[in-house]
Amino acid sequence: MSWTYEPARGDTRLVFTTRPTLQGTFGMVSSTHWLASATAMAVLEDDGNAFDAAVAAAFVLHVVEPHLNGPGGEVPMILAPVGLPPRVLCGQGGAPAGATIDHYTGLGLDLVPGTGPLAAAVPGAFDAWMLLLRDHGTKRLAEMLSYAIGYAERGHPAVERVGETVDTVAELFRTEWTTSAEIYLPGGRAPKPGELLRNPALAATWRRLIAEAEAASPDREAQIEAARRVWREGFIGEALVAAANRPTMDTSGERHVGTLTGDDLVNYAATYETPATYDWQGWTIAKPGLWSQGPVFLQQLALLPDRLEYGTAQYYHWLIETSKLAMADREAWYGDSTQVSLETLLSPWYNAQRSAMIGCCASHELRPGHPDGQQPRLSSYVEANSATAVDVPLGAGEPTVAASGATRGDTCQLDIVDRWGNMIAATPSGGWLQSNPVVPELGFQLGTRLQMAWLEPDLPNSLVPGRRPRTTLSPSLALRDGEAVMAFGTPGGDQQDQWSLHFFLAVALREKVRDGLDLQGAIDAPNWHQESFPGSFYPRSMSPGSVIVESRIGDDIIADLERRGHQVTVGGPWSEGRLCAVARDRRTGVLSAGANPRGMQGYAAGR
């Protein structure tokens, strides 16, 4: 155990943390799996930069956390190359050309299924990682894939949650998704913790991809471009389209084929974008834009009062209520086709109106705002269920945290800073082993991100061909005076920008450790989330007034929140939050890192 200072209530009591905040000067990595962190450090040791390291670690995450992400999924990332402004690299694909509302409602559906090819957006993660390697990396494709190939071929010790996830879908695999059973039910059962799990088909896919790329050209960048073509229109693209057109049992209880075509793959490319930003007490926070839930973090900051004492009951009450207002705006105004500007949502006058709605007691209403005088429009599903709780069955949608505080898994997170000061935060997700059957020729599966879009027209997040479904994936970058100083993020679906905000405030409002930010202390601080909004994943659950807190938050805080009308569920002492973070001190060049200790396999590494 380590310790840090926590002047939460005006004192300087020593409190224990699970691990020390790592510090060094060469490089720091934090990820949701120790093998990915070790891989990234190996690349840094081999003279690669933070972006090389991120690519190699990301492909390892596909192998060792297949229940949390895969090559057929998506990834948003924020990168800050030294001397350049931060940029968002969007690896979120849009809806295929055939994914129309009429097509889905014509099948008798009122929600996009949570599994199966009907829920598959154009997979975007692979292209985004290739763009990062081409434009900001220094290493060759074969080098960066070698680590993932090794773990897929020779095996990796399965973490407990891989087997737990497979157990929840084992019968489906045996009876319907038999190609998945071949990999994830070796010997007819889910892998035990520590048992070597192999994926030779995935290793063969990457070996063939490398061979075709190297045959195309000896040039590094030309090989990466060749790999992108193979993904879109070569053997990988052909196999993905064939998989999308196989009738597949999904959460509707029926077999459907998807809408993905070869043209959809050919027409897709990952994109660079200017991040959404907000200035707060000397910090600038950069997030993905309104096609994600990232601005929820910024809106919560904009709603905070000038003075707020960390860790008090009033502190938690205010954060919970600001989260409700921001998430209500997310539901009404966020999406790839929104007509609202972020400038308006973050403006002082708008947030003065919104913060005036926060009283001494908990609100149980979904209260979106009226930016620029516009009338919010919610889906009829939300309107019908906004006053009552909608239960979510285990195993549906994106693995995240249930109202009881029990985990069902999560997404992934990867944060890296190198000795030159390059920094990146990435949140890979989708293409889970439980999302679609394994494509037998490839060793991985399609994703299910379209389940986030509504089957009603004229909403910011309506299902429309070519548009990105609004994603919950939300990496974060913090700057001081225009210079990147901290990269962080968390798995957790709708909880991401709640948990991340509490982490950030625990960093910004509390004492430093040694001569740097107390990342591990902030990660370990008791966390919470609220559920008074429509969930992003099938079947779109919501629970007005519900707040889930870690028991470590304290009986006095819990009692105070209940007196204010919050419907508090007390989870386990380490049940909320999955943060990873790295930082760099601008004055000294000291690097630091921390990682989540809560029931997963997150680790930081560095020197």
Side-chain angles (χ1 to χ4, degrees), residues 36 122 165 191 237 252 266 295 329 350 376 384 391 400 405-406 414 424 430 456 473 501 540 546 560 567 574 594 606:
V122 180
T165 302
S252 73
V266 169
D329 272 356
Y350 180 73
D391 292 331
T400 182
L414 178 62
I424 183 170
E456 296 179 49
L473 307 175
L501 178 72
R540 315 306 289 265
S546 174
D560 190 288
Q567 296 180 358
W574 298 93

Side-chain angles (χ1 to χ4, degrees), residues 180-516:
S180 298
E182 292 174 9
I183 293 176
Y184 294 111
L185 291 173
R189 57 168 176 78
K192 296 179 180 178
E195 189 172 45
L196 286 180
L197 180 62
R198 296 176 174 86
N199 191 340
L202 180 59
T205 294
W206 296 145
R207 287 196 182 281
R208 182 176 173 184
L209 175 81
I210 291 167
E212 294 190 15
E214 290 181 340
S217 172
D219 178 72
R220 187 189 83 92
E221 292 187 10
Q223 289 178 5
I224 295 171
E225 285 302 300
R228 295 176 75 197
R229 289 194 297 275
V230 171
W231 178 273
R232 291 169 176 157
E233 51 193 297
F235 78 96
I236 294 178
E238 292 172 356
L240 290 175
V241 171
N245 283 278
R246 294 187 188 110
T248 300
M249 179 66 70
D250 59 38
T251 52
S252 73
E254 298 181 3
R255 295 180 184 88
H256 293 112
V257 299
T259 59
L260 184 71
T261 68
D263 286 343
D264 294 317
L265 292 173
V266 169
N267 293 331
Y268 173 76
T271 55
Y272 289 106
E273 301 176 6
T274 300
T277 60
Y278 186 74
D279 296 332
W280 181 84
Q281 296 190 11
W283 298 79
T284 299
I285 304 298
K287 301 286 291 184
L290 286 167
W291 53 270
S292 77
Q293 76 170 3
V296 162
F297 188 111
L298 308 182
Q299 283 197 260
Q300 290 174 101
L301 280 180
L303 287 165
L304 293 180
D306 291 336
R307 299 181 65 85
L308 193 62
E309 185 179 357
Y310 179 86
T312 63
Q314 177 67 8
Y315 171 86
Y316 287 109
H317 170 70
W318 195 276
L319 290 183
I320 291 166
E321 294 304 300
T322 60
S323 174
K324 291 176 183 177
L325 293 175
M327 294 301 263
D329 272 356
R330 185 195 75 163
E331 190 55 42
W333 302 114
Y334 288 24
D336 216 9
S337 60
T338 184
Q339 301 300 308
V340 169
S341 73
L342 190 58
E343 182 180 6
T344 296
L345 293 176
L346 297 177
S347 64
W349 65 266
Y350 180 73
N351 285 286
Q353 293 176 349
R354 298 288 278 160
S355 62
M357 300 171 67
I358 299 175
C360 63
C361 297
S363 168
H364 291 204
E365 299 177 62
L366 189 69
R367 300 184 291 177
H370 297 71
D372 296 325
Q374 298 186 68
Q375 184 68 27
R377 179 165 177 252
L378 303 173
S379 74
S380 58
Y381 182 89
V382 172
E383 295 281 11
N385 293 287
S386 61
T388 57
V390 180
D391 292 331
V392 55
L394 288 173
E398 180 178 42
T400 182
V401 175
S404 65
T407 59
R408 304 182 211 133
D410 274 305
T411 289
C412 302
Q413 183 64 32
L414 178 62
D415 303 297
I416 304 175
V417 59
D418 62 29
R419 63 188 184 274
W420 300 287
N422 297 303
M423 193 175 289
I424 183 170
T427 311
S429 187
W432 313 297
L433 66 85
Q434 64 273 30
S435 64
N436 262 295
V438 166
V439 183
E441 306 94 320
L442 303 178
F444 65 88
Q445 47 283 329
L446 288 165
T448 55
R449 194 60 56 171
L450 286 189
Q451 66 182 286
M452 309 185 80
W454 291 110
L455 296 182
E456 296 179 49
D458 304 321
L459 298 171
N461 192 32
S462 295
L463 180 67
V464 175
R467 289 183 185 167
R468 294 168 290 191
R470 187 191 66 222
T471 181
T472 54
L473 307 175
S474 189
S476 304
L477 193 75
L479 301 92
R480 303 280 278 188
D481 299 323
E483 187 174 343
V485 297
M486 184 167 64
F488 59 101
T490 178
D494 293 311
Q495 284 83 46
Q496 288 183 28
D497 284 297
Q498 300 184 61
W499 290 341
S500 289
L501 178 72
H502 198 188
F503 159 80
F504 170 73
L505 293 175
V507 169
L509 298 178
R510 302 200 310 179
E511 290 289 318
K512 294 181 178 180
V513 58
R514 301 186 186 93
D515 195 30

